[in-house]
Amino acid sequence: MREVGSHPSSILIIQLTAILLTLFPFALASAENPVDESFPMGINLSSVCYWSTENPFVDIFKQSQAFQPQMKGGPYGEGGQLLLDSNGWPKQLNTGQWADTIMCRAGGHYPAGEYICFYDGEGTLEFGFDGKIKERRKGHIALDVRPSKRGILLRIAETNPDNPIRNIRLIMPGFESTYKNQIFHPEFLKRWKGFKVIRFMDWMRTNNSAVGTWAQRPTTQMQTQGGDKGVALEYMILLANRLKADPWFCMPHEATYDYVENFAKMVKEKLDPSLKVYVEYSNEVWNSHFNQAHYAVRVGQGMGFSEKPFEAGLFFYARRATEIFAIWKDVFGGSDRLVRVLAAQSSNPWTSRKILEFGKAYKSADALAIAPYFGGYLGKPDTQRAVSHMTVGQILGQCRNDMDLQHRKVAEHAALAGKHGLDLIAYEGGQHLVGTGGAENNEQLTALFMAANRDPRMGQLYREDLKGWQNAGGGLFMTFASMGQYGKWGSWGLLEYSGQDAPPKYRAIRRFMGGKPLKNSEKNPRPLS
């Protein structure tokens, strides 16, 4: 869940504004202002998981579901407990038990063709759904894959306890001889090439993270990189090096000193020395939707920072962040290659002041970060009835009005950051059209929000929002997020699936980064009505 900022609009104001937009439609002319082609842009990568539409790895088994226990003829996932090793591979199976996993459950948006499965150990592998076995020999299975919404089912039907099946790899067409060195899919690399910073918050499964010690970290030997622990640090560093992009890491909220130190040491050892490192403590520690916020409140009150729970959480966040920054600075022998980020609530500049000034935390930081989303108030439960009867143009018009408010708040944050010698950056940002508090179940509202995200005029809004952010004093802007299916939980992706013709949001970001001409359909957008 992303930040939902407060907004003064009532249902009556929304209804009156919608009427005015119908009577007096307008276009986004200001979006055609000249852009600063050197303006720094970053991207938040979406989670690696078996239902993701984004396939960063040529070995798609890295995105597989954690193995599920299955009994022949029984209900799915109710096959008793699997006996797994420390990396998640089944060590043995009970009588009649299978171990199942799924990949590419993403609406059929992945390549067709011949996939090659490699594996170690002895036993029997079976495939289903979109994958049909063409040829089988020891340690090697060729599949014919025809994508559908079902994805690919892989089953360990038998395994030898003395030499169990493990180290499964399922390689996309054309990469069977290069996958060991060509980890990332070329289209994935091309898609995000040119972004200055890559934020790995979702790759690290930062929100509600259960990782605290270095021994708990995800590794490259794990069954999947799409599990609750997230992606191995080695892969994140490798991607940053390949893209020549500064990595942005979020330290888990319960990370120990040993975890942070070892994490920093590996980054220093393996990261391209020409790159900087953005370091943040967790994500949205002020946001009560996440476990890290409750943790901060609990520990902050226990340390006597404040009798007010929310304030105690902010103060603990500031304290722990500066402690983490000190560890990184010690490992790197200084802060020249570090961008130490303190993050606050965009809709509430008071949180920035409290965090920056507690214990003079600003002296240990380089940047203040916020998430200046627009349109979030349109998905609230008390406004859903009025909003669900708007046109797409009226939705976009409301978004434009909200952007003006957000940019005024950006200016407040920028002033606070400047006062303390820090840059203002956006850790996330973009549209926030999603139902909340039960409104996510309003199908008419969801359909409108998805249509608004696909509308060419949304691209114009993105460019205007970026220009407003820049004019209000903002620097690096980390748009959210790379790719994902649209639905009741939001329309976050710049793209919806791999192979999609560049949609308006993606084109707008690329336009802002590189100054490329807009397509004809965007040069004269329809009025917002």
Side-chain angles (χ1 to χ4, degrees):
M1 179 177 290
R2 309 268 62 84
E3 173 180 359
V4 182
S6 59
H7 196 280
S9 297
S10 64
I11 297 176
L12 178 60
I13 292 175
I14 290 177
Q15 292 172 329
L16 290 174
T17 305
I19 294 172
L20 290 172
L21 287 170
T22 302
L23 296 175
F24 304 105
F26 58 90
L28 299 176
S30 60
E32 287 301 317
N33 289 341
V35 299
D36 179 357
E37 295 182 16
S38 64
F39 189 72
M41 291 292 301
I43 185 71
N44 279 269
L45 292 181
S46 300
S47 295
V48 173
C49 54
Y50 72 91
W51 66 85
S52 174
T53 55
E54 186 157 46
N55 300 308
F57 303 104
V58 297
D59 173 11
I60 63 169
F61 199 78
K62 292 187 188 302
Q63 293 179 244
S64 59
Q65 178 191 38
F67 278 114
Q68 301 295 305
Q70 185 75 0
M71 295 295 287
K72 186 176 182 179
Y76 184 76
E78 297 184 14
Q81 186 174 359
L82 285 171
L83 182 61
L84 305 174
D85 68 15
S86 60
N87 291 316
W89 301 103
K91 294 195 288 187
Q92 66 180 54
L93 298 173
N94 297 323
T95 302
Q97 188 182 48
W98 297 329
D100 285 7
T101 184
I102 301 172
M103 295 146 279
C104 301
R105 184 62 72 86
H109 297 295
Y110 69 100
E114 183 177 272
Y115 285 58
I116 302 298
C117 176
F118 299 105
Y119 63 94
D120 299 336
E122 298 175 348
T124 302
L125 285 180
E126 297 176 351
F127 288 86
F129 298 162
D130 297 352
K132 309 299 180 185
I133 295 177
K134 294 173 56 179
E135 178 189 0
R136 181 196 296 269
R137 62 179 186 268
K138 183 176 175 59
H140 180 287
I141 299 174
L143 296 180
D144 179 49
V145 173
R146 294 290 177 264
S148 75
K149 293 183 178 180
R150 297 182 300 172
I152 300 173
L153 170 70
L154 182 150
R155 169 175 296 156
I156 300 179
E158 298 176 346
T159 194
N160 180 354
D162 295 326
N163 186 19
I165 288 180
R166 61 197 182 279
N167 192 25
I168 298 172
R169 292 137 286 160
L170 188 57
I171 311 304
M172 287 186 176
F175 300 100
E176 60 271 14
S177 63
T178 61
Y179 76 92
K180 291 182 180 180
N181 297 316
Q182 191 174 6
I183 305 296
F184 300 107
H185 199 287
E187 290 185 6
F188 173 75
L189 295 175
K190 181 180 178 181
R191 188 180 306 135
W192 307 120
K193 183 179 180 181
F195 283 84
K196 179 177 176 56
V197 182
I198 304 293
R199 189 169 183 252
F200 289 109
M201 183 269 293
D202 276 334
W203 270 36
M204 295 180 70
R205 296 294 179 97
T206 303
N207 294 324
N208 309 315
S209 175
V211 174
T213 68
W214 188 240
Q216 294 173 325
R217 75 190 187 283
T219 69
T220 58
Q221 289 76 42
M222 295 183 70
Q223 176 239 315
T224 178
Q225 298 296 305
D228 293 340
K229 294 182 177 181
V231 177
L233 175 56
E234 291 90 337
Y235 289 135
M236 293 188 283
I237 295 172
L238 181 61
L239 179 60
N241 288 341
R242 287 293 306 273
L243 290 174
K244 298 295 182 185
D246 297 336
W248 182 321
F249 299 119
C250 300
M251 298 294 94
H253 63 278
E254 293 191 82
T256 63
Y257 181 102
D258 182 65
Y259 175 96
V260 177
E261 182 181 45
N262 280 290
F263 195 109
K265 284 180 177 179
M266 185 180 291
V267 174
K268 185 175 186 293
E269 176 189 352
K270 296 180 180 295
L271 186 68
D272 183 330
S274 69
L275 298 176
K276 289 194 172 187
V277 185
Y278 287 70
V279 182
E280 179 185 6
Y281 173 47
S282 191
N283 172 70
E284 294 189 357
V285 179
W286 49 264
N287 190 336
S288 61
H289 287 96
F290 301 134
N291 291 345
Q292 57 262 32
H294 300 285
Y295 174 82
V297 168
R298 184 171 66 252
V299 179
Q301 286 191 305
M303 297 178 74
F305 287 157
S306 175
E307 295 181 356
K308 300 175 182 178
F310 186 67
E311 188 175 63
L314 295 181
F315 289 164
F316 171 75
Y317 167 78
R319 170 68 64 84
R320 185 59 182 144
T322 57
E323 291 171 349
I324 286 172
F325 298 158
I327 297 171
W328 278 81
K329 183 178 179 180
D330 182 61
V331 170
F332 273 71
S335 59
D336 289 348
R337 289 185 62 198
L338 302 178
V339 180
R340 298 159 295 176
V341 180
L342 289 171
Q345 187 179 17
S346 183
S347 61
N348 187 358
W350 174 85
T351 61
S352 286
R353 181 170 61 83
K354 288 292 183 178
I355 290 168
L356 293 177
E357 295 178 358
F358 181 77
K360 297 184 178 179
Y362 66 87
K363 289 189 174 182
S364 299
D366 303 292
L368 170 66
I370 59 173
Y373 285 105
F374 61 84
Y377 74 98
L378 293 168
K380 290 186 175 181
D382 58 347
T383 61
Q384 64 174 309
R385 181 185 179 97
V387 175
S388 64
H389 288 89
M390 290 182 181
T391 66
V392 168
Q394 289 168 345
I395 294 287
L396 295 172
Q398 291 281 346
C399 286
R400 186 183 188 279
N401 291 341
D402 191 38
M403 279 165 37
D404 293 337
L405 172 63
Q406 301 310 321
H407 295 157
R408 289 196 292 273
K409 291 185 179 294
V410 168
E412 292 184 55
H413 287 283
L416 282 167
K419 173 184 176 183
H420 297 298
L422 305 181
D423 294 328
L424 179 67
I425 61 179
Y427 66 85
E428 295 172 17
Q431 61 77 38
H432 199 295
L433 295 176
V434 59
T436 59
E440 68 274 7
N441 297 316
N442 185 323
E443 294 182 1
Q444 186 174 350
L445 186 71
T446 296
L448 271 172
F449 286 168
M450 291 192 296
N453 270 276
R454 293 170 178 145
D455 193 284
R457 294 168 291 181
M458 180 61 83
Q460 295 288 337
L461 280 176
Y462 262 55
R463 291 190 63 232
E464 183 172 352
D465 183 45
L466 289 169
K467 198 65 182 177
W469 160 263
Q470 187 180 38
N471 291 337
L476 171 71
F477 192 99
M478 304 292 298
T479 192
F480 191 92
S482 58
M483 183 178 290
Q485 298 183 79
Y486 292 178
K488 63 185 290 185
W489 305 116
S491 303
W492 305 111
L494 293 185
L495 297 102
E496 296 180 60
Y497 52 85
S498 299
Q500 181 183 18
D501 289 339
K505 291 190 295 188
Y506 182 79
R507 286 203 306 270
I509 295 295
R510 282 293 188 186
R511 172 73 170 86
F512 203 85
M513 290 168 60
K516 295 179 180 179
L518 294 174
K519 293 188 176 181
N520 289 334
S521 62
E522 287 193 280
K523 289 181 179 178
N524 296 295
R526 299 191 307 280
L528 298 181
S529 60

